[in-house]
Amino acid sequence: MCDTSNILQSSAVFRTISLIPVRMFPYVALGAVSASLAIYTLHHNLPWTRLDHINDAIAIVDETLTHAKAKCTRDYLVLVEAETWFLRPSSQCLLEMHNMPGWKNYLRVMVTISRALAMLEREVRGIHTSLLVLVEAAHQRKLTEDIREDQEIGDGVLHS
């Protein structure tokens, strides 16, 4: 099915492109690609976009930590240590946002804030990875115990 709005939009784009002289087209295309890349990079590195990524990562780590607490009862100390690692970046982020300068100085330190938030996001994702490794180790340990128990049962049945 053809949508009339898509047809009109594509015809408007082609009409606009046809107005550009042939010699100028590569330069206009290069400028459009460069502008879209710059806008994407700027949008991706804005502090509020970074904060959205951090909030998503924190929610995932919190969910994984709850799951790990249920599955990894033998590794309680490691879980407590992971939870303190998790709480430190969260509280550090809140403290840094509280001490953020006013709007006049904001543009001057925006790159620094963005880099700090990127490092914080990497740290939270690292915590998530370590929790996943811990949960996987618990699964492997449980599987090994089940296999050993099944072998003992099988050996007991064969010997009797």
Side-chain angles (χ1 to χ4, degrees), residues 43 46-59 117 121 125:
H43 174 71
L46 288 173
W48 50 84
T49 305
R50 292 265 186 206
L51 280 175
D52 287 341
H53 292 294
I54 291 172
N55 285 335
D56 293 342
I58 286 174
L117 290 174
E121 182 181 358
R125 295 212 186 268

Side-chain angles (χ1 to χ4, degrees), residues 15 25 27 30 40 42 50 68 107 109 118 123:
R15 278 192 219 133
F25 184 74
Y27 301 111
L30 181 63
Y40 173 78
L42 179 66
R50 292 265 186 206
L107 293 176
V109 295
E123 190 173 339

Side-chain angles (χ1 to χ4, degrees), residues 6-138:
N6 286 341
I7 293 171
L8 291 175
Q9 288 175 351
S10 64
S11 65
V13 168
F14 286 126
R15 278 192 219 133
T16 305
I17 291 174
S18 68
L19 294 175
I20 300 172
V22 175
R23 291 182 182 171
M24 295 294 289
F25 184 74
Y27 301 111
V28 172
L30 181 63
V33 168
S34 299
S36 64
L37 184 62
I39 289 170
Y40 173 78
T41 302
L42 179 66
H43 174 71
H44 182 71
N45 287 319
L46 288 173
W48 50 84
T49 305
R50 292 265 186 206
L51 280 175
D52 287 341
H53 292 294
I54 291 172
N55 285 335
D56 293 342
I58 286 174
I60 290 170
V61 169
D62 188 35
E63 185 178 308
T64 305
L65 188 61
T66 303
H67 178 71
K69 284 180 182 178
K71 294 286 182 183
C72 308
T73 54
R74 293 178 73 187
D75 299 321
Y76 182 74
L77 292 176
V78 176
L79 285 173
V80 169
E81 185 177 333
E83 191 167 17
T84 54
W85 286 347
F86 174 61
L87 291 175
R88 187 180 58 81
S90 302
S91 61
Q92 182 180 3
C93 179
L94 291 174
L95 289 174
E96 287 177 4
M97 290 299 128
H98 178 69
N99 294 329
M100 195 163 76
W103 284 102
K104 293 178 183 177
N105 297 326
Y106 176 73
L107 293 176
R108 202 173 328 136
V109 295
M110 191 161 100
V111 173
T112 307
I113 292 171
S114 181
R115 285 182 185 156
L117 290 174
M119 287 175 44
L120 182 63
E121 182 181 358
R122 270 187 241 116
E123 190 173 339
V124 170
R125 295 212 186 268
I127 292 169
H128 181 244
T129 303
S130 66
L131 285 173
L132 288 176
V133 167
L134 186 67
V135 169
E136 182 60 27

